[in-house]
Amino acid sequence: MKQKITKAIFPVAGLGTRFLPATKSVPKEIMTLVDRPLIQYAIDEAREAGIKEFIFVTSRGKSALEDYFDHAHQLEHDLASKGKTDLLDVLKATNMDSGQIAYLRQHKALGLGHAVWCARRMIHDEPFAVILPDDVIAAEKPCLKQMVEAYEETGGSMVATMEVPPEKAHAYGVLDVADDRGAVVKAKGMVEKPAPGTEPSNLAVIGRYILHPNVLTSLNSMEAGAGGEIQLTDAIAKEIGTERGVYGYRFNGQRFDCGSKAGFLQATVSFGLSRPELRDELRDYLQEVLTLDKAAQ
């Protein structure tokens, strides 16, 4: 039996410059899709996958993120006294018990690999997950839970993958596939942001990982990769030649790149339409907008 995945790292140290001026005072991870911040979607997915310990790698200016998971005693008291039990239940679902969550600082923006390395002393020798909150995945069964179930069969390290058009492959880490088993593929190589036309496949790595602790050992070398940053992909690639191996997992679900404005808006509309209490009014509005836009053209 493979060792269970109970710890997850959430790299949330980025400045969110693509969302300025909003992120001047509000961490990007607190920005909301409908009525839940990005980070809540990531936490809920992790909980569904069996994660018990949540490790946040933050930076200066992220205090609102830490406050979000704290108990708001006065607010809870006010809701309880007014009999608003439905809102109280929603609020309590955002609380994290003492000892469940830890915050570490990434003092220099040296890349995703460096952010994950910052949490090394809290991982020790256990396999662990990494979740990038910018990648929001709508799925009947949460993406990380799908991966944990597949990992129980494969072991090693595993990355979530999706097919992308060749012209977009340069923006991702891309797998070189040795064995395609359908949902699971075995990798023989990984390339971070390949030059256009050199991508080894159309399978791009997106923000969900299950990693063997040896990946952290590889990160100790602090080798700069693409863009002059310490790339997590490079450290994972060093696991490919080992007995453990590296696997890609084609998840079932729709991924939204909420690190971009267009992706964030698309996710907002999609999640809004999925809510029964919002669906009809939002759909009518969108149809009206599209009708007016077509008439204007």
Side-chain angles (χ1 to χ4, degrees), residues 202-233:
N202 67 342
L203 279 182
V205 177
I206 62 104
R208 302 292 185 275
Y209 309 80
I210 295 175
L211 302 178
H212 189 276
N214 272 26
V215 171
L216 295 173
T217 303
S218 295
L219 288 170
N220 283 333
S221 64
M222 293 289 140
E223 295 178 13
E229 296 184 332
I230 298 166
Q231 298 290 347
L232 181 60
T233 301

Side-chain angles (χ1 to χ4, degrees), residues 85-289:
T85 56
D86 53 342
L87 290 178
L88 186 60
D89 290 340
V90 169
L91 186 63
K92 287 183 176 180
T94 69
N95 294 341
M96 301 287 279
D97 292 333
S98 298
Q100 271 194 310
I101 192 165
Y103 300 96
L104 304 168
R105 283 286 180 97
Q106 182 185 22
H107 295 293
K108 296 181 179 179
L110 298 178
L112 177 58
H114 180 261
V116 171
W117 176 83
C118 288
R120 65 198 182 283
R121 290 189 177 90
M122 303 199 70
I123 297 300
H124 304 297
D125 58 353
E126 302 174 45
F128 61 98
V130 177
I131 297 180
L132 306 189
D134 278 0
D135 283 332
V136 177
I137 300 173
E140 184 174 345
K141 179 186 290 187
C143 177
L144 188 61
K145 186 173 184 179
Q146 296 177 44
M147 293 175 66
V148 166
E149 292 175 356
Y151 166 83
E152 290 173 355
E153 299 295 326
T154 65
S157 292
M158 180 174 287
V159 298
T161 61
M162 68 177 192
E163 297 180 359
V164 297
E167 64 271 17
K168 294 185 177 181
H170 70 277
Y172 298 89
V174 179
L175 291 186
D176 192 357
V177 177
D179 183 18
D180 192 332
R181 308 173 189 177
V184 176
V185 301
K186 189 168 186 179
K188 63 179 179 181
M190 294 179 72
V191 182
E192 180 65 27
K193 297 180 179 179
T198 66
E199 62 276 358
S201 77
N202 67 342
L203 279 182
V205 177
I206 62 104
R208 302 292 185 275
Y209 309 80
I210 295 175
L211 302 178
H212 189 276
N214 272 26
V215 171
L216 295 173
T217 303
S218 295
L219 288 170
N220 283 333
S221 64
M222 293 289 140
E223 295 178 13
E229 296 184 332
I230 298 166
Q231 298 290 347
L232 181 60
T233 301
D234 294 342
I236 298 171
K238 292 180 180 180
E239 288 291 293
I240 289 175
T242 69
E243 183 180 347
R244 296 176 294 274
V246 174
Y247 300 85
Y249 183 80
R250 291 186 176 102
F251 60 92
N252 290 317
Q254 183 177 6
R255 174 253 190 175
F256 297 94
D257 177 12
C258 290
S260 72
K261 293 176 183 177
F264 190 91
L265 291 172
Q266 291 162 12
T268 299
V269 172
S270 181
F271 280 90
L273 290 172
S274 72
R275 298 277 288 270
E277 74 276 19
L278 300 174
R279 183 183 301 127
D280 292 344
E281 186 175 353
L282 180 56
R283 183 186 289 118
D284 290 345
Y285 173 73
L286 291 172
Q287 288 175 344
E288 180 183 344
V289 169

